[in-house]
């Protein structure tokens, strides 16, 4: 991959790759510093959704506030065919979307439909038909399948468009082109439908507005996003259960932990439970269910887990894997009724081994990983475990400049 000279300034680069003049102007004004005091923060605060809530990890980059910003590296010519899909909430700030688009271009992603970020209907990123068309136009062949389909943001709304997409055809076309669909939070509905009806994997990963448009994107999350995009044999090690609950072991099992192999699927618990009983929830024999959520009290988490249990979702599964259950508060009736109590009850109900602490969810420093792909779970001698993924599409590593995602 040929790199653009470090002497080529940001505005020249944006003109070179065809990003709009508005973004170029922001870049020449020192966009990262300018946006810190702009109306972007006011707009985003006024439209908080689950993908905007405070993370379980503090943003260590905030310590740079008021200090000189580090020198920016060069960009590379974007060659990765990328399209956005906006299935849920509208973005709260045009400047934030423009900054995210600039960073993607700098990192090597050629976004073909940036105008998608400008749509709005009520609270949504366009009408139901417009939002469905982001995916349905690929299924019909009206638009060529890209290498990456990146979600704009979460929130709510994806469930409304599920009946409007030919998931079977979309999944087949994505397999033929090696297309990667990436997102999380409300995008879980899209990922479940794609797997259930199209037999196609996706990537649990950060999104345009909710990560790459931040004033200071989380460098760890960006690096792990690229690792999941480029590594055909991704491995993630989990040492403790603290992201799920500090009162749990990493592996909760009634027998000796053993290596398991199967398809990992799931996503946001609120969304997965809402799909229970529908044709859009995957039915994976011998699978492993992954679940995460944010801002839910323990009793609400248990109620959603019972929704899945009573619908028979856990039958035939090998294990349940929990990511971050962040922002959960104490029960006003009895503070002993916590997430750990809920998960122990789930273990008794299902008899399944439960793996906790997976580094993904509504948190910083998240580890992207494939959903709908083959996963091996290996317990280690220290009480933790390792996840090894295979059988999912990837992108060549030399096509991406990871540093461009947070510049």
């Amino acid at each position: 991959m040929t790199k653009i000279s470090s002497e080529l300034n940001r505005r020249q680069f944006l003109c070179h790759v065809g990003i709009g003049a508005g973004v170029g102007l922001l870049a020449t004004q020192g966009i990262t510093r300018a946006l810190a005091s702009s109306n972007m923060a006011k707009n985003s605060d006024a439209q908080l959704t689950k993908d905007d809530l405070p993370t379980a990890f503090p943003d260590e980059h905030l310590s740079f506030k008021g200090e000189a910003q580090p020198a920016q590296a060069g960009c590379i010519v974007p060659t990765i065919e990328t399209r956005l899909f906006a299935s849920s909430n509208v973005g709260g700030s045009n400047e934030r979307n423009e900054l995210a688009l600039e960073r993607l271009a700098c990192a090597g992603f050629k976004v073909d439909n940036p105008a998608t970020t400008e749509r709005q209907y009520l609270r949504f990123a366009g009408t139901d038909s417009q939002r469905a068309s982001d995916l349905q136009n690929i299924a019909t062949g009206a638009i060529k399948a890209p290498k990456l389909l990146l979600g704009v943001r979460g929130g709510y709304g994806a469930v409304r468009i599920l009946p409007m997409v030919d998931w079977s055809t979309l999944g087949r076309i994505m397999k033929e082109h090696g297309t990667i669909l990436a997102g999380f939070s409300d995008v879980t509905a899209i990922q479940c439908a794609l797997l259930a009806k199209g037999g196609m994997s996706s990537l649990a990963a950060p999104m345009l507005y909710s990560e790459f448009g931040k004033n200071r994107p989380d460098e760890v999350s960006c690096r792990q996003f690229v690792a999941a995009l480029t590594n055909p044999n991704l491995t993630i090690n989990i040492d403790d259960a603290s992201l799920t609950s500090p009162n749990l072991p990493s592996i909760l099992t009634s027998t000796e932990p053993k290596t398991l192999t199967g398809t990992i699927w799931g996503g946001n618990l609120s969304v997965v439970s809402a799909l229970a009983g529908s044709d859009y929830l995957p039915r994976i024999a011998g699978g492993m269910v992954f679940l995460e959520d944010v801002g839910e009290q323990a009793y609400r988490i248990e109620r959603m887990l019972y929704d899945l249990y009573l619908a028979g979702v856990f039958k035939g599964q090998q294990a349940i894997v929990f990511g971050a259950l962040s922002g959960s508060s104490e029960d006003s009736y009895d503070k002993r009724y916590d997430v750990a109590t809920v998960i122990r009850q789930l273990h008794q109900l299902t008899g399944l081994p439960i793996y906790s602490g997976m580094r993904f969810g509504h948190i910083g420093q998240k580890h992207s990983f494939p959903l709908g792909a083959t996963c091996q779970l290996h317990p280690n001698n220290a009480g933790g475990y390792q996840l090894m993924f295979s059988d999912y599409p990837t992108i060549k590593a030399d096509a991406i400049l990871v540093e461009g995602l947070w510049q």
Side-chain angles (χ1 to χ4, degrees):
M1 177 58 61
T2 303
K3 291 190 178 183
I4 296 177
S5 166
S6 60
E7 295 179 359
L8 188 63
N9 66 37
R10 305 274 287 178
R11 185 167 189 168
Q12 290 173 320
F13 167 74
L14 293 168
C15 291
H16 178 84
V17 300
I19 300 294
V23 181
L25 177 60
L26 287 167
T28 62
Q29 293 176 338
I31 190 165
T32 303
R33 292 189 295 274
L35 289 181
S37 58
S38 72
N39 289 332
M40 179 188 71
K42 296 178 183 178
N43 292 340
S44 60
D45 288 344
Q47 301 187 41
L48 286 178
T49 59
K50 283 194 172 184
D51 54 317
D52 297 311
L53 289 174
T55 62
F57 292 97
D59 186 351
E60 70 276 14
H61 298 302
L62 293 179
S63 61
F64 286 103
K65 187 177 292 184
E67 300 178 13
Q69 298 294 320
Q72 294 175 335
C75 298
I76 61 174
V77 177
T79 59
I80 302 168
E81 294 295 332
T82 303
R83 291 192 65 85
L84 304 177
F85 68 96
S87 58
S88 308
N89 272 30
V90 66
S93 164
N94 290 333
E95 290 88 352
R96 182 164 169 169
N97 282 322
E98 288 176 335
L99 176 54
L101 289 167
E102 176 195 339
R103 286 175 171 146
L104 284 176
C106 184
F109 299 92
K110 184 180 179 182
V111 178
D112 294 332
N113 60 335
T116 298
T117 63
E118 301 171 6
R119 298 184 321 217
Q120 181 172 3
Y121 172 71
L122 301 176
R123 62 173 289 137
F124 308 111
T127 64
D128 289 356
S129 294
Q130 286 175 318
R131 290 180 290 120
S133 70
D134 292 341
L135 302 170
Q136 180 62 9
N137 282 344
I138 296 173
T140 63
I143 293 174
K144 179 184 175 183
K147 186 60 183 175
L148 176 65
L149 270 168
L150 180 64
V152 173
R153 73 176 300 182
Y156 168 72
V159 68
R160 292 171 55 132
I161 69 172
L162 296 185
M164 304 174 70
V165 178
D166 181 352
W167 299 105
S168 177
T169 302
L170 179 63
R172 175 180 57 79
I173 291 174
M174 288 177 63
K175 287 179 184 178
E176 292 172 355
H177 289 80
T179 300
I180 303 167
L181 183 145
F184 80 115
S185 191
D186 196 53
V187 172
T188 293
I190 304 297
Q191 294 170 312
C192 283
L194 182 63
L195 180 60
K197 289 182 168 288
M200 183 62 192
S201 66
S202 59
L203 196 67
M207 295 179 286
L208 181 89
Y209 183 92
S210 49
E211 184 61 54
F212 306 124
K214 288 180 179 177
N215 181 27
R216 299 300 302 274
D218 173 19
E219 184 175 328
V220 173
S221 294
C222 291
R223 289 190 181 278
Q224 294 302 322
F225 171 64
V226 172
L229 284 175
T230 60
N231 187 348
N233 300 112
L234 183 71
T235 299
I236 297 175
N237 293 294
I238 306 301
D239 298 323
D240 58 64
S242 58
L243 285 176
T244 304
S245 170
N247 299 320
L248 284 172
S250 297
I251 306 174
L252 182 60
T253 180
S254 56
T255 60
E256 187 69 21
K258 61 181 180 180
T259 297
L260 304 174
T261 302
T263 299
I264 190 166
W265 65 277
N268 180 258
L269 173 59
S270 298
V271 178
V272 172
S273 66
L275 297 178
S278 77
D279 292 337
Y280 303 106
L281 191 68
R283 290 164 175 79
I284 307 294
M288 305 172 191
V289 187
F290 170 79
L291 300 167
E292 59 81 21
D293 218 316
V294 62
E296 301 287 1
Q297 287 184 268
Y299 83 92
R300 291 175 61 87
I301 292 172
E302 180 171 285
R303 182 163 59 194
M304 290 185 285
L305 291 171
Y306 260 94
D307 286 344
L308 298 176
Y309 169 72
L310 294 173
V313 172
F314 297 123
K315 290 181 179 179
Q317 302 304 294
Q318 296 188 73
I320 303 170
V321 181
F322 280 99
L325 294 177
S326 51
S328 58
S329 58
E330 291 183 351
D331 190 283
S332 59
Y333 289 96
D334 189 337
K335 64 181 180 181
R336 294 171 299 178
Y337 184 68
D338 58 8
V339 168
T341 301
V342 168
I343 291 179
R344 291 183 186 279
Q345 171 70 1
L346 180 66
H347 174 57
Q348 292 180 4
L349 280 172
T350 64
L352 296 174
I354 297 179
Y355 294 74
S356 295
M358 173 65 170
R359 297 188 64 88
F360 190 84
H362 294 75
I363 56 171
Q365 302 180 6
K366 62 172 64 71
H367 286 212
S368 300
F369 68 98
L371 287 167
T374 300
C375 178
Q376 285 190 339
L377 278 173
H378 300 278
N380 61 35
N381 295 328
Y385 59 96
Q386 180 185 75
L387 300 96
M388 299 179 64
F389 303 90
S390 58
D391 302 326
Y392 53 93
T394 57
I395 295 170
K396 291 183 178 179
D398 61 3
I400 304 175
L401 178 67
V402 63
E403 294 84 359
L405 293 175
W406 64 79
Q407 289 187 144

